[in-house]
């Protein structure tokens, strides 16, 4: 086991001794107000290439390339 980083002391261990974080969540300090400041950006157009679009489908849970029995057929259908 690697030693604790400098600056970590036994106080940190006491913070995590509770068996259920959810039970003790009410003791957690409130986050700083800055954490809730709103930040918005304007939408940017996205015009993917066909390969990028097919790649996006394969990044989705139901279309994982390694799990598709007929991945080439799927890609062909999307490309049509």
């Amino acid at each position: 086991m690697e030693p604790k980083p400098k600056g970590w002391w036994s106080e940190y261990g006491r913070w995590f001794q509770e068996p259920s974080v959810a039970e003790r969540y009410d003791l957690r300090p409130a986050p700083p107000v800055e954490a809730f400041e709103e930040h918005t950006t304007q939408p940017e157009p996205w015009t993917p290439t066909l390969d990028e679009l097919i790649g996006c489908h394969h990044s989705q849970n139901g279309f994982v390339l390694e799990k598709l029995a007929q991945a080439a057929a799927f890609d062909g259908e999307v490309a049509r």
Side-chain angles (χ1 to χ4, degrees):
M1 180 185 300
E2 293 183 25
K4 290 186 274 186
K6 289 184 179 182
W8 287 22
W9 70 98
S10 59
E11 179 66 23
Y12 283 118
R14 283 193 285 277
W15 295 353
F16 295 99
Q17 285 180 349
E18 291 294 332
S20 172
V21 174
E23 289 175 8
R24 307 310 301 162
Y25 195 78
D26 59 317
L27 299 178
R28 183 177 178 182
V33 174
E34 304 85 55
F36 297 103
E37 289 180 359
E38 187 173 323
H39 178 75
T40 58
T41 59
Q42 295 299 315
E44 297 211 12
W46 182 57
T47 53
T49 65
L50 184 56
D51 286 340
E52 289 173 329
L53 181 62
I54 291 172
C56 287
H57 284 295
H58 289 304
S59 70
Q60 296 173 354
N61 188 24
F63 300 105
V64 177
L65 189 57
E66 294 80 15
K67 293 183 180 180
L68 280 176
Q70 298 177 351
F74 173 82
D75 293 354
E77 285 296 314
V78 172
R80 283 198 312 156

